[in-house]
Amino acid sequence: MGKEQMTSEFLMTKLSESKVHFERALDCKHTDFDDLYPYMIEHPQFFWYKRYVAWSELLTIVKLCNELDVDWKPAFTGLQTEYIEKRVMSGKVLDEWYEKNDSKEHVG
């Protein structure tokens, strides 16, 4: 196995891990961050900060993929790719990351 393929596989693994980490943070599920800063759970800003840390990690991995010409976009939906390319985490990103269009949520 060549170094380039190993780098690509390694980055795609790290990309997948960082995506899962971000999505767990979005869902307020346990992440490694909780173990590092257990006292933060008591503070209201904790969940925003936890999400910001996970988002930053995801953007860092994407930046490395771009610099090494590793195609990261297939791991995400079109809308998620747009959010990542804009690099700004906003309430819209948090609300629409999963692109769910559950009819039960829209019943009048």
Side-chain angles (χ1 to χ4, degrees):
M1 181 182 319
K3 184 177 179 182
E4 291 168 1
Q5 184 173 349
M6 195 167 73
T7 300
S8 177
E9 289 175 13
F10 175 79
L11 282 173
M12 292 308 292
T13 298
K14 293 300 174 188
L15 181 69
S16 177
E17 290 171 358
S18 67
K19 181 181 179 188
V20 168
H21 183 224
F22 177 66
E23 290 176 348
R24 288 187 64 79
L26 276 180
D27 296 338
C28 300
K29 293 182 178 175
H30 188 271
T31 67
D32 292 340
F33 187 79
D34 298 293
D35 296 333
L36 291 171
Y37 302 101
Y39 62 89
M40 287 290 289
I41 293 172
E42 301 168 14
H43 301 282
Q45 73 272 22
F46 170 73
F47 291 108
W48 277 101
Y49 189 68
K50 179 177 170 175
R51 291 169 180 158
Y52 172 77
V53 168
W55 180 247
S56 296
E57 176 187 337
L58 181 61
L59 293 181
T60 299
I61 301 297
V62 166
K63 180 179 179 182
L64 289 171
C65 287
N66 284 333
E67 290 175 3
L68 296 170
D69 294 322
V70 174
D71 188 15
W72 56 270
K73 294 178 182 179
F76 299 90
T77 66
L79 194 55
Q80 290 171 345
T81 300
E82 286 179 39
Y83 293 146
I84 292 168
E85 288 176 333
K86 290 179 183 174
R87 302 185 55 84
V88 176
M89 186 180 68
S90 65
K92 185 174 183 178
V93 172
L94 299 176
D95 291 341
E96 299 178 9
W97 180 259
Y98 293 111
E99 301 180 49
K100 292 179 183 172
N101 191 9
D102 186 356
S103 59
K104 293 178 186 175
E105 291 178 6
H106 303 290
V107 173

